[in-house]
Amino acid sequence: MSDLHSQTVAYTRDTMLPPAPPPVRERGAIKWLRENLFSGPFNIALTLITLWLLWLALSEVLPWMWRGIWDAGSVTECRARPGCALRAGGAGRLLGRHPGSLAPARLRLLPRRRTVAPAAGACGLPHRHHAGPLHRPASAPAGVHGRRPLPDRLADLGGAIWGPAMVALGFVLGWAVWRLLLPRSNPGLAFTGGVLAALLWWLFLTGPVAGMLARLIPIALNPVPSDRIGGFTLSLLIGLSGITLSLPLGILLALARRSDLWIVSKAAVIYIEVIRGVPLIVWLLVAQILLNYFLPSRWSIDILVRVIVMVTLFAAAYIAEVIRGGLAAIPRGQFEAADSLGLGYWETMRLIVLPQALTISIPGIVNSFIGLLKDTTLVSIISLFDPKRMTDTIRATTEWGGIYWELYIFVGTVFFVFCFAMSRYSIWLEQRLERSHR
């Protein structure tokens, strides 16, 4: 009986059931809402209060944005529009039609109207602060139907671009010479060769080659004086230049401060402490006023160049301390392992120590960069037209007097977008370079 039963009844399953999705309450948005917003009475109360506050805010902000008038020429014109409140006008004055927009120079390759530029720019502001001359005088020769031949238009573009291009090519040449000499000599000699190659190129070949290319291919850009650059163009120019130049300088300062050579270490310490001990606004005043007293009388350095140099030197001191903290976090065994492999100082730093130290220092470095970008608004103290000064200039006009919220909210929003993007990029970079889980 038992033998027959064992042959007719299966006790184990020979096939698996198909996979089924989890219950609706345990997946997707519903699960997230249950766990984060409605997990208990206290969280439910906080969620309802937050939703109520958001509704109060959006019920005021969304109609203000939806009814916003972006093409009014003054507050009076805005008030004359049906359904327009005072707060609904003027928010678009900082979107790019005012002086100092995000177009400091434009290629004038297209036909231009034969009109003289007006005496005032958008919003009634003086035209002298515009990013560059966008019209040619009516007396200038023109071709058929107001067009000029393409070679003439190319030759009438203002300042040449070949000079800066040849200067940038000097950096590329120095890097190529350094890479070529590095396998055949010690790193110090390779670095010296790269620097000498770049200097020889800049001193003897940059001018002739740029002049020859300017005659062969006369492509150029509108020259833009420093007093005509303003708004977010100025902030981005100073901020990006300072970020790009201060990072390598900060690395060198951090290495110099940890150097075994007494004079190199003390010089780096003195520089870092002096720079960090004085506010940036004081260094900007030094760049504007006092720097000319220490330069030869025949030298005339543009104020924007002086500001970029001073901001770079200021940011490099802070970045050096951040990187020094990353270097201090590297275990001593890393240096000993490099010594056992026969690596020199620069090879150890370049291949082993600095990659790890920079990865550790990413949050501090990005924090310094964000502070540097926001501190570019301090240049208004030396009469440069940063977004804050542009906002005050627009408010001072008779057309837009009395406008406050729109201008400052717009400036703050743009800065927040840039800073938040930098912050998110640093988080992504940290996760990409993380090696502890591998």
Side-chain angles (χ1 to χ4, degrees):
M1 183 70 178
S2 60
D3 293 339
L4 179 63
H5 187 73
S6 63
Q7 297 296 326
T8 58
V9 179
Y11 289 93
T12 60
R13 183 183 299 276
D14 57 356
T15 59
M16 297 298 296
L17 292 175
V24 177
R25 292 167 54 88
E26 299 299 329
R27 59 187 170 95
I30 296 180
K31 178 183 178 182
W32 185 89
L33 290 174
R34 289 180 62 250
E35 292 181 351
N36 295 276
L37 299 182
F38 301 98
S39 59
F42 182 70
N43 279 354
I44 292 175
L46 289 180
T47 300
L48 294 178
I49 293 174
T50 303
L51 292 176
W52 177 66
L53 294 176
L54 286 176
W55 180 82
L56 289 180
L58 294 178
S59 63
E60 295 291 333
V61 174
L62 291 181
W64 170 73
M65 297 177 61
W66 182 259
R67 298 198 315 264
I69 295 177
W70 304 86
D71 57 351
S74 64
V75 177
T76 304
E77 181 180 348
C78 178
R79 286 171 173 170
R81 303 287 181 89
C84 171
L86 175 62
R87 62 186 178 186
R93 300 302 96 192
L94 288 169
L95 282 179
R97 293 194 297 168
H98 66 87
S101 65
L102 294 175
R106 303 180 184 180
L107 280 171
R108 298 193 291 172
L109 301 180
L110 301 177
R112 293 166 293 176
R113 290 181 290 181
R114 299 179 58 189
T115 56
V116 179
C123 309
L125 293 176
H127 184 74
R128 66 180 183 90
H129 298 303
H130 270 286
L134 301 181
H135 304 276
R136 61 179 174 88
S139 59
V144 182
H145 303 296
R147 296 173 178 263
R148 302 177 64 199
L150 182 59
D152 293 342
R153 297 203 303 272
L154 289 173
D156 188 36
L157 293 178
I161 64 174
W162 294 115
M166 293 303 102
V167 172
L169 186 59
F171 289 100
V172 177
L173 179 62
W175 175 82
V177 172
W178 172 72
R179 292 291 297 178
L180 183 63
L181 296 178
L182 190 60
R184 299 174 175 84
S185 61
N186 61 70
L189 183 60
F191 179 77
T192 304
V195 172
L196 289 178
L199 290 177
L200 292 176
W201 171 266
W202 290 330
L203 292 176
F204 299 105
L205 294 177
T206 296
V209 174
M212 180 184 65
L213 291 176
R215 290 189 296 271
L216 294 177
I217 309 176
I219 298 179
L221 295 172
N222 289 333
V224 182
S226 298
D227 59 350
R228 295 191 178 184
I229 300 177
F232 289 103
T233 299
L234 181 65
S235 293
L236 290 178
L237 180 61
I238 298 175
L240 294 179
S241 300
I243 289 172
T244 305
L245 299 175
S246 62
L247 181 58
L249 183 57
I251 294 175
L252 293 177
L253 286 172
L255 295 178
R257 183 159 186 173
R258 290 173 55 89
S259 175
D260 294 333
L261 298 176
W262 184 85
I263 187 171
V264 174
S265 175
K266 295 307 177 184
V269 169
I270 292 173
Y271 171 83
I272 292 173
E273 297 302 331
V274 169
I275 291 294
R276 293 199 308 160
V278 180
L280 177 58
I281 193 171
V282 176
W283 291 118
L284 293 177
L285 291 174
V286 169
Q288 181 195 25
I289 302 172
L290 300 180
L291 193 59
N292 288 333
Y293 290 99
F294 299 98
L295 296 176
S297 59
R298 63 181 182 276
W299 286 16
S300 178
I301 302 179
D302 188 84
I303 179 61
L304 185 55
V305 176
R306 284 181 275 166
V307 168
I308 291 176
V309 171
M310 194 60 67
V311 168
T312 299
L313 297 177
F314 184 83
Y318 284 87
I319 293 176
E321 289 298 284
V322 173
I323 296 176
R324 188 170 69 91
L327 292 173
I330 304 300
R332 185 63 188 173
Q334 298 288 317
F335 297 89
E336 296 173 353
D339 293 338
S340 66
L341 294 175
L343 299 179
Y345 175 79
W346 292 108
E347 291 176 328
T348 302
M349 290 297 170
R350 181 170 60 90
L351 300 176
I352 298 178
V353 177
L354 277 180
Q356 300 179 67
L358 292 178
T359 302
I360 297 173
S361 305
I362 285 176
I365 292 174
V366 176
N367 182 62
S368 300
F369 288 164
I370 291 175
L372 172 62
L373 181 62
K374 293 186 295 184
D375 286 344
T376 55
T377 55
L378 294 176
V379 299
S380 61
I381 198 67
I382 56 175
S383 303
L384 292 179
F385 280 82
D386 70 296
K388 168 63 171 57
R389 189 177 178 87
M390 293 300 304
T391 301
D392 295 338
T393 304
I394 295 174
R395 286 179 46 230
T397 61
T398 57
E399 291 83 358
W400 294 103
I403 294 296
Y404 298 96
W405 288 97
E406 290 86 346
L407 301 177
Y408 290 113
I409 288 176
F410 181 81
V411 171
T413 302
V414 173
F415 272 111
F416 172 78
V417 169
F418 282 110
C419 296
F420 183 75
M422 294 170 64
S423 175
R424 299 307 302 177
Y425 175 75
S426 70
I427 295 175
W428 174 83
L429 194 60
E430 288 181 64
Q431 296 174 351
R432 181 181 178 87
L433 298 177
E434 178 63 38
R435 295 293 185 269
S436 60
H437 65 284
R438 297 185 181 180

